[in-house]
Amino acid sequence: MFQIDFKSRRSVRDQIVDNFKHLINTGLLQPMEEVPNIEEISIGLVINPNTCQKAYTELENQGYFYSHKDASWMVADRSTGNPPNLAAKKKNKQPRNHEYFVIIEDLTKHLGDNLVLNDLKMDIKRGSIYGLMGVNGSGKTTLIKHLAKIYQSDFGEIIIDEVPIKQVSQLSIGYLPDETAFLPHYTMRKMSSFFENKHKRNWDFERYQDLLQKFDLDEEQKLDTFSSGMKKQAALVFALSAMPDLLLLDETLDGLDPFVRHYVAREIIKDVAERQMTVFVTSHNINELDGICDTVGIIDKGQVTIERDIDDLRSNIHKINVAFAPGSVSGNPFKGLNVLYREDLGGTDLVVIHGLEAKIAASIGRFNPILYHHMPMTLEEIFVYEKSEEKPEE
């Protein structure tokens, strides 16, 4: 139907909204025509389902879409207003469930004399993909080992699906450590039997066979002869075939072959969309988390120092190259804007501004710029500027 440009300065949510509006306004989608549901669009485009939900809700709020109780979505007839009984349905519509699947309160952990987790707090919504970024030694792996029930905290509490983690028994938790290890001399086939026995309730043999073929792994080859990349792929095969309720990935996506990463992302998103699987993934490279996570946090010295919705980040921080005719501007054209960075490039200004794009454009537009060019930003750049102090220019 359309493609998403993950390098665009526009958020994925906004791109979905813009593309559907274009299809409707040009007549390629007709009133009362059904559009792909959240699961279909997220799997097809390999996009986080929560991002798709936000886009569809925005289209509904703008009068382009309406939703049925059976979770299908239709194109609204904008010439006649809302479809029959839509106003009543909206009035009775229940808010979308945003319950937290994982709640972490005051988590503290010492390893020897080192304070690794320091009164850490975090909430992860059910069916979300939460990415945590931090340098080596920041506490990422220690935190994920608590969620995997390998470590016990010195102080604090972890609640998973409303149950203290020590009492969690019915939920399936999949954990892929940063360094993959298997039982000595085991083949893929023998290791799969081990995991099948461990995850009897959820193990999906058909999916295991499909993933094995997709990754082109030899089921009879011993795992200790695999390369490091192949071992990581094998671990992903076992984890995804176990159909976990909570999937923990400790730098697992870092450095994957682009094709393999795309396929893994597609499988993860499929589970999130269809089963409301919750995913927690860590990385030391924030750009590895772009395009798959809906929320990203940064951990430093055992504390989450910043946490943001990725689409909101992209919608509210803008890098702009702007120029004015010589002598045409008196005063500061950026006055009143939250300028996070400004550099004089000799005839043009490079500015990074926090705020809504429309308001920024209107404010600068009053000075009739001869150049106003939006520039793309990586997720890493956005977070660097997000941590800057926001102060309106005077």
Side-chain angles (χ1 to χ4, degrees), residues 195-208:
F195 280 107
E196 182 178 7
N197 185 61
K198 183 179 178 181
H199 299 278
K200 291 179 180 178
R201 183 170 62 90
N202 289 355
W203 183 261
D204 189 330
F205 181 74
E206 290 185 3
R207 188 178 204 188
Y208 164 73

Side-chain angles (χ1 to χ4, degrees), residues 301-319:
K301 298 178 181 178
Q303 292 184 324
V304 176
T305 58
I306 186 172
E307 182 181 84
R308 294 291 186 272
D309 177 285
I310 286 184
D311 281 311
D312 288 344
L313 272 178
R314 290 201 181 281
S315 298
N316 288 291
I317 294 185
H318 309 276
K319 183 195 286 187

Side-chain angles (χ1 to χ4, degrees), residues 117-245:
L117 298 179
N118 182 13
D119 197 31
L120 184 142
K121 299 175 179 62
M122 180 184 292
D123 298 320
I124 304 174
K125 294 176 181 176
R126 182 188 301 276
S128 69
I129 305 177
Y130 188 110
L132 187 68
M133 195 276 287
V135 299
N136 292 335
S138 58
K140 301 188 307 295
T141 296
T142 302
L143 173 57
I144 213 167
K145 284 183 176 180
H146 279 79
L147 292 170
K149 303 173 68 174
I150 296 171
Y151 283 169
Q152 292 187 2
S153 64
D154 299 335
F155 181 79
E157 188 175 30
I158 299 176
I159 305 293
I160 300 181
D161 200 20
E162 303 181 354
V163 177
I165 192 166
K166 292 180 181 179
Q167 301 174 22
V168 170
S169 58
Q170 297 301 314
L171 288 173
S172 174
I173 299 177
Y175 168 51
L176 274 72
D178 54 347
E179 294 185 5
T180 306
F182 298 105
L183 295 173
H185 310 301
Y186 268 44
T187 63
M188 282 288 296
R189 181 189 296 276
K190 196 169 183 180
M191 200 73 210
S192 70
S193 298
F194 170 84
F195 280 107
E196 182 178 7
N197 185 61
K198 183 179 178 181
H199 299 278
K200 291 179 180 178
R201 183 170 62 90
N202 289 355
W203 183 261
D204 189 330
F205 181 74
E206 290 185 3
R207 188 178 204 188
Y208 164 73
Q209 291 289 332
D210 180 61
L211 290 170
L212 199 67
Q213 183 177 8
K214 288 290 194 310
F215 289 138
D216 194 25
L217 297 175
D218 184 354
E219 195 177 25
E220 302 302 332
Q221 184 176 346
K222 290 183 178 180
L223 287 159
D224 55 13
T225 67
F226 280 16
S227 67
S228 58
M230 292 170 64
K231 287 180 179 178
K232 187 176 285 190
Q233 292 175 40
L236 284 162
V237 169
F238 297 134
L240 292 171
S241 300
M243 307 293 280
D245 302 296

